[in-house]
Amino acid sequence: MSYSRHQLIALLRKHGIAPTHQRLEIANVLFSRCEHLAADQILTLVNERHAETSKATVYNTLNLFRDCGLIREVIVDPKRVFYDPNTQPHHHLYNVDTGEITDIPADDLTVSGMPELPPGMVTEGVDIVVRIRAL
Amino acid sequence: MSYSRHQLIALLRKHGIAPTHQRLEIANVLFSRCEHLAADQILTLVNERHAETSKATVYNTLNLFRDCGLIREVIVDPKRVFYDPNTQPHHHLYNVDTGEITDIPADDLTVSGMPELPPGMVTEGVDIVVRIRAL
DNA sequence: GCCAAAGATTGGACTTTGTCTAATCCCCGG
DNA sequence: CCGGGGATTAGACAAAGTCCAATCTTTGGC
């Protein structure tokens, strides 16, 4: 699940994003681990060795990646947005005690009976969050 | 869908909540309309005639109502939490352009293939959000 | 009905997450 | 090698929500 520098550059280019140093660092953090990270965690990870990326750039970059379809937002915690490097359709298990987020493959879960949308509307996505907690 | 003062008092008491003036005002705002309101909207509505309820009380009360199962949080907008007076199982249509939230009755939508939970875990709820936007 | 204790409410300071801005920096094409 | 457009930055700002200590209400026992 880790990417070489070349692969990351190609990935950004494919999405029309100029591969700057900071963007590569952020992309590396996102794609080198299969976790759901919040902006502040990414900021910390990216600056672990040498502080070289600002808060503003992390937010700019995450929004850019999201707009370009490189990553996806996961909205389960009212306190912060998590970013998911997996843009394939899938869903989430959310541990309300610990805040831990786990993937549920899309093919495991099927939804039937989707309501008809108002005319002129299209579905952008279906997010399913299964909230769990310790007994 | 509107409740009398007596009904609201009974509703709060049934959930073990002491019916104070402010709580009744907030409950009235929530239950007298079938909308999904955010805390700041509730604060405004409650103080429309005479300012008499503080921000802190609105937040305290919403958290209390939520903990007592009187209302439910709807987490779809990373900017703010919405509160849903309908605690029956159901799901939501979220218009990403306008922010509008609409209910989907639970029996319209069925989910199959729920993954097995880790031992000692229980499902607290399943939230489905269908994100829609104008074509 | 009255009183004290328990609980509720309050303004305002504070925290956290995220955005904005204007200045600076860097990188690429010519 | 140079100029300009895009990227980055620090820090100010904004909005949502929490916390606190002081004050005010409610309520249950008499």
Side-chain angles (χ1 to χ4, degrees), chain B residues 71-113:
Chain B
I71 60 177
R72 198 166 96 159
E73 287 183 343
V74 181
I75 319 246
V76 282
D77 180 343
K79 290 204 146 32
R80 56 232 231 269
V81 173
F82 288 92
Y83 292 91
D84 191 340
N86 178 2
T87 53
Q88 299 301 319
H90 69 281
H91 306 294
H92 295 104
L93 222 49
Y94 178 58
N95 185 323
V96 295
D97 295 328
T98 63
E100 192 192 0
I101 300 173
T102 324
D103 280 356
I104 306 173
D107 38 281
D108 286 13
L109 227 53
T110 22
V111 186
S112 50

Side-chain angles (χ1 to χ4, degrees), chain B residues 20 22-23 26 39-44 46-47 51-66 83:
Chain B
T20 67
Q22 288 89 337
R23 287 171 180 174
I26 292 168
D40 65 318
Q41 299 175 303
I42 293 167
L43 179 62
T44 304
V46 151
N47 287 323
E52 53 193 356
T53 306
S54 71
K55 187 176 69 154
T57 298
V58 169
Y59 280 100
N60 287 344
T61 301
L62 289 172
N63 289 337
L64 178 70
F65 283 6
R66 185 244 291 126
Y83 292 91

Side-chain angles (χ1 to χ4, degrees), chain B residues 19-52:
Chain B
T20 67
H21 182 46
Q22 288 89 337
R23 287 171 180 174
L24 287 170
E25 285 294 321
I26 292 168
N28 184 49
V29 162
L30 283 164
F31 290 101
S32 74
R33 66 201 82 208
C34 293
E35 282 175 57
H36 303 82
L37 298 170
D40 65 318
Q41 299 175 303
I42 293 167
L43 179 62
T44 304
L45 287 168
V46 151
N47 287 323
E48 232 164 29
R49 300 168 169 228
H50 317 287
E52 53 193 356

